[in-house]
């Protein structure tokens, strides 16, 4: 490994670490609190029963518990939360330019890092599809902070490939 490769690797690791620190601060300060769904609905996983209250849907009445207790009870469900987040990153040559201190690629890496850290905090899986004219790299979805760092590293370190961008192959993949 040459001296320029070592310097380039050190700069890349420093950038990944800086993004990790900024992302952690954003996720813990701005997006504080645990996940609570804004969606109302019956959900899919049984959580328990509670006493019937005015306005409850009569279709949710648990007739077995109602018969035992002598008062109406309804079933409660929770939404299944675990999701898979898949980032599509354009690594064509057009992503090397930018309008500020960061290139479009560096900005995309920061966005991916922030969203991935938020997803991991909510126990979701995160993956990456890097593409240009075709799919160049696929990182399968996994959980964990180390996996987020791998995705950020790949966002920054994958070599630019292809002069054009074709989104269709990545979406089909």
């Amino acid at each position: 490994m040459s001296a320029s490769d070592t310097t380039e690797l050190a700069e890349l690791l420093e950038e990944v670490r800086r993004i990790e620190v900024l992302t952690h601060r954003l996720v813990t300060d701005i997006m504080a609190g645990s996940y609570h769904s804004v969606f109302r609905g019956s959900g899919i996983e049984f959580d328990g029963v509670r006493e019937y209250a005015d306005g409850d849907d009569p279709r949710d009445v648990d007739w077995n518990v109602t018969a035992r207790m002598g008062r109406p009870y309804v079933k409660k469900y929770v939404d299944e939360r675990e999701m898979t987040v898949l980032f599509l990153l354009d690594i064509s040559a057009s992503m090397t330019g930018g309008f500020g201190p960061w290139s479009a690629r560096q900005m995309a890496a920061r966005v991916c890092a922030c969203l991935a850290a938020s997803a991991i905090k909510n126990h979701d899986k995160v993956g990456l599809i890097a593409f240009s004219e075709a799919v160049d790299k696929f990182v399968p979805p996994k959980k964990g902070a180390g996996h987020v760092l791998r995705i950020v590293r790949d966002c920054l370190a994958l070599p630019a490939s292809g002069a054009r961008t074709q989104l269709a192959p990545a979406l089909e993949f």
Side-chain angles (χ1 to χ4, degrees):
M1 187 180 279
S2 69
S4 65
D5 289 342
T6 306
T7 304
E8 192 173 306
L9 180 61
E11 289 174 0
L12 175 66
L13 292 174
E14 183 181 323
E15 181 70 10
V16 169
R17 178 68 181 147
R18 187 177 16 241
I19 290 173
E20 179 197 15
V21 169
L22 290 171
T23 301
H24 180 72
R25 191 175 307 143
L26 283 172
V27 170
T28 55
D29 293 349
I30 295 173
M31 301 176 184
S34 59
Y35 181 88
H36 295 287
S37 177
V38 296
F39 302 107
R40 292 276 190 224
S42 60
I44 57 174
E45 188 176 329
F46 180 72
D47 188 42
V49 293
R50 64 171 174 75
E51 201 164 337
Y52 181 85
D54 288 336
D56 285 339
D57 190 349
R59 294 176 290 186
D60 292 336
V61 171
D62 186 337
W63 294 108
N64 292 329
V65 176
T66 298
R68 279 196 308 263
M69 302 302 282
R71 297 183 307 275
Y73 279 80
V74 293
K75 296 177 184 177
K76 293 187 323 182
Y77 295 92
V78 293
D79 291 326
E80 185 175 327
R81 175 61 184 119
E82 188 171 305
M83 301 174 97
T84 300
V85 179
L86 199 57
F87 296 106
L88 274 71
L89 177 69
D90 178 5
I91 60 170
S92 66
S94 65
M95 293 293 284
T96 57
F99 292 106
W102 299 323
S103 69
R105 177 95 168 259
Q106 290 171 321
M107 183 57 78
R110 283 170 168 74
V111 170
C112 286
C114 192
L115 294 175
S118 179
I120 292 298
K121 186 175 179 187
N122 290 323
H123 308 289
D124 295 334
K125 295 178 186 176
V126 179
L128 174 71
I129 296 175
F131 69 96
S132 57
E133 296 178 55
V135 173
D136 296 313
K137 173 108 180 190
F138 172 63
V139 178
K142 290 184 184 176
K143 292 182 178 181
H147 189 65
V148 170
L149 291 176
R150 176 187 178 192
I151 287 176
V152 173
R153 183 203 64 205
D154 286 351
C155 286
L156 294 169
L158 287 173
S161 67
R164 298 182 37 181
T165 300
Q166 293 290 328
L167 185 58
L171 292 174
E172 288 173 9
F173 181 81

